[in-house]
Amino acid sequence: MNNSMISAMVSMNAIQQRLDVIADNLANVDTVGYKSKDASFEDVLTQVQGHHKDFTLAGRATPSGYTMGFGSRMATIVENLAQGSHKETGNPLDLAIEGNAMFVVEGNGGIAYTREGGFHVSPDTQNPGFVNLVNNQGYRVLDRANNPISIPENAKIAIDTKGQVLIETPGGNSVEAVLKLAELERPEGLVQMDGNLYMLAAGLTEAQVFEAPPANAQEPLKSEVQSGFLEMSNVNYSEEMTKMMEVQRAYQLAARALSSSDTMMNLANTMRG
């Protein structure tokens, strides 16, 4: 197999991976809290090939050699954690964050983080007469002390911009709990899981990825909670469609290069002296 065939084959594989990333973005254009992804690429086995000795001339100003590569491969997938647009729902338990923070929930494999704030209540199995605030997967939402938020059953609930969970009482509103909002500082320290959830990368602590929480529980956070709103996907549909067309053209070009290399090899094999 010659270099041109190897380069075309490797490039087609990388282009297919990029197409998968774009397709994932387009499939989640209406998914609440979804963050778009982009793929970065790098050269494969790039090396400098020396010219024939006849090119070595006295007084030559440029190096004797040329760069030879074998296509490209996908190096990493980068997530765009920029805030998406807010959609009004009127449901007091639908929450959106104005800022760079994330909600904290009790995930399947430990504490998890998310921007998806479509919450509801579910019976508290450990505390009869109370309900837990949970997300769409049923994971319990945590307060600033990393405890599940438990609310009296049938209580009228409201959540203010500070994340305070208020319930209506005969004497007025009382603060039942305060949502934990983790202010993101190093996005590269998070690993995406299923269901728009993120977890800390292996070996990292919360203090290494998020900003230190306020020392005083009454101290305001940088981010605010908007009740009655949901944060939509930050995928730009027209931009993703443009990328898809570019990737399809690149795939066609690589496929043509592979076909041309195969044709030339067949011609060379059938030549007779």
Side-chain angles (χ1 to χ4, degrees), residues 30-268:
D30 291 323
T31 301
V32 175
Y34 178 82
K35 300 303 176 186
S36 63
K37 305 180 185 69
D38 198 8
S40 61
F41 295 82
E42 62 185 9
D43 293 334
V44 177
L45 297 175
T46 300
Q47 62 184 12
V48 176
Q49 183 72 26
H51 279 119
H52 189 269
K53 62 180 181 179
D54 292 342
F55 286 86
T56 305
L57 302 174
R60 184 185 178 97
T62 58
S64 177
Y66 57 93
T67 302
M68 183 176 64
F70 294 90
S72 62
R73 66 174 183 177
M74 188 169 69
T76 58
I77 295 179
V78 180
E79 296 196 22
N80 176 14
L81 294 177
Q83 180 176 311
S85 61
H86 289 178
K87 178 182 179 181
E88 186 173 4
T89 65
N91 184 348
L93 295 185
D94 283 342
L95 307 178
I97 297 177
E98 186 70 38
N100 199 36
M102 304 184 84
F103 298 110
V104 184
V105 300
E106 194 178 53
N108 190 29
I111 292 179
Y113 309 88
T114 183
R115 292 280 296 193
E116 184 180 358
F119 300 142
H120 61 277
V121 293
S122 178
D124 188 345
T125 56
Q126 301 176 356
N127 196 1
F130 285 76
V131 293
N132 289 133
L133 188 65
V134 299
N135 71 351
N136 286 333
Q137 282 110 339
Y139 297 138
R140 297 185 292 183
V141 182
L142 303 182
D143 62 13
R144 286 192 179 184
N146 280 344
N147 295 321
I149 295 176
S150 187
I151 306 161
E153 193 175 9
N154 299 323
K156 188 174 181 181
I157 308 168
I159 300 174
D160 65 11
T161 57
K162 298 178 182 179
Q164 297 182 127
V165 181
L166 311 172
I167 62 170
E168 187 176 329
T169 64
N173 292 333
S174 65
V175 179
E176 206 56 23
V178 181
L179 289 169
K180 181 175 181 179
L181 298 180
E183 293 282 353
L184 187 60
E185 189 173 24
R186 296 181 178 87
E188 64 275 9
L190 293 179
V191 177
Q192 187 180 28
M193 314 298 289
D194 291 336
N196 275 342
L197 296 178
Y198 296 84
M199 299 189 74
L200 296 174
L204 296 182
T205 64
E206 199 171 82
Q208 293 173 306
V209 178
F210 297 95
E211 294 183 14
N216 185 350
Q218 301 302 319
E219 184 179 340
L221 298 172
K222 292 181 179 179
S223 301
E224 291 186 348
V225 175
Q226 303 294 327
S227 178
F229 291 84
L230 286 175
E231 181 180 348
M232 304 307 294
S233 167
N234 66 354
V235 174
N236 186 319
Y237 184 79
S238 59
E239 183 178 322
E240 294 300 322
M241 287 300 296
T242 301
K243 288 180 182 178
M244 177 172 283
M245 289 188 288
E246 292 175 349
V247 170
Q248 288 175 331
R249 296 293 184 271
Y251 192 90
Q252 291 172 355
L253 180 62
R256 187 174 297 176
L258 182 62
S259 177
S260 299
S261 297
D262 183 58
T263 301
M264 287 188 290
M265 285 189 66
N266 288 334
L267 289 173

